[in-house]
Amino acid sequence: MSSAAGQPIPESPRDEYGTEQRAFTQTNLEHGKPPEPLLELEIPPSELDLTMTFESILSETAASDEPETKAVYKRASNVLKLSQENEKLKEELRLMTERLEAAERKQQELRQKALRSGAEEDVKKNVS
């Protein structure tokens, strides 16, 4: 671009999207110019009730979640009881299995002893 006098017109800085950037600079203050507004937005008045306290928010949250929280704690308690009962039953099963294995070993030993003593008697009968 160039002016009528043939002098190039300096281009204003542009961002990556090609939009002209207008920034408030120190030179505006030096020349007595007011700062250019970046955006002219009308902000609607707030209709929020900002008189709430932190405690009131917490109490409302706690009161609304109370039935759900109780249900979760009850379920957790039930799960804990069931897991304890499961561990107890596993221990009983382990002890019963050990007793059964011990009884089976004892029966096997008695059978082998009976076979040996019967075989010894047969040998004694054959020898005599």
Side-chain angles (χ1 to χ4, degrees):
M1 284 190 193
S2 63
S3 67
Q7 296 280 332
I9 299 175
E11 289 190 33
S12 58
R14 298 188 180 271
D15 64 8
E16 61 191 64
Y17 304 107
T19 307
E20 184 177 330
Q21 293 180 342
R22 294 183 182 183
F24 176 71
T25 62
Q26 186 67 27
T27 57
N28 288 354
L29 284 177
E30 290 170 0
H31 296 293
K33 295 179 184 176
E36 296 179 19
L38 295 178
L39 294 175
E40 293 185 23
L41 295 176
E42 287 188 33
I43 300 174
S46 176
E47 296 179 13
L48 296 175
D49 179 19
L50 301 177
T51 60
M52 298 177 77
T53 64
F54 189 67
E55 289 78 21
S56 67
I57 293 171
L58 286 178
S59 66
E60 287 176 12
T61 304
S64 65
D65 291 344
E66 192 172 316
E68 187 175 309
T69 304
K70 284 184 180 179
V72 169
Y73 283 126
K74 185 174 181 180
R75 189 172 298 127
S77 175
N78 289 341
V79 168
L80 181 63
K81 287 177 186 176
L82 288 173
S83 65
Q84 289 172 344
E85 186 177 342
N86 187 33
E87 291 300 319
K88 184 178 174 183
L89 290 172
K90 281 182 181 179
E91 182 64 22
E92 287 180 23
L93 178 62
R94 185 184 64 78
L95 292 173
M96 290 173 65
T97 303
E98 288 177 2
R99 287 196 301 265
L100 179 62
E101 289 172 351
E104 288 174 349
R105 281 194 300 271
K106 185 71 173 176
Q107 282 183 343
Q108 185 68 27
E109 288 172 7
L110 291 174
R111 280 190 213 115
Q112 289 175 353
K113 191 175 184 180
L115 286 174
R116 278 190 234 130
S117 64
E120 288 176 7
E121 288 179 14
D122 287 340
V123 169
K124 288 181 183 176
K125 286 182 186 176
N126 288 336
V127 173
S128 13

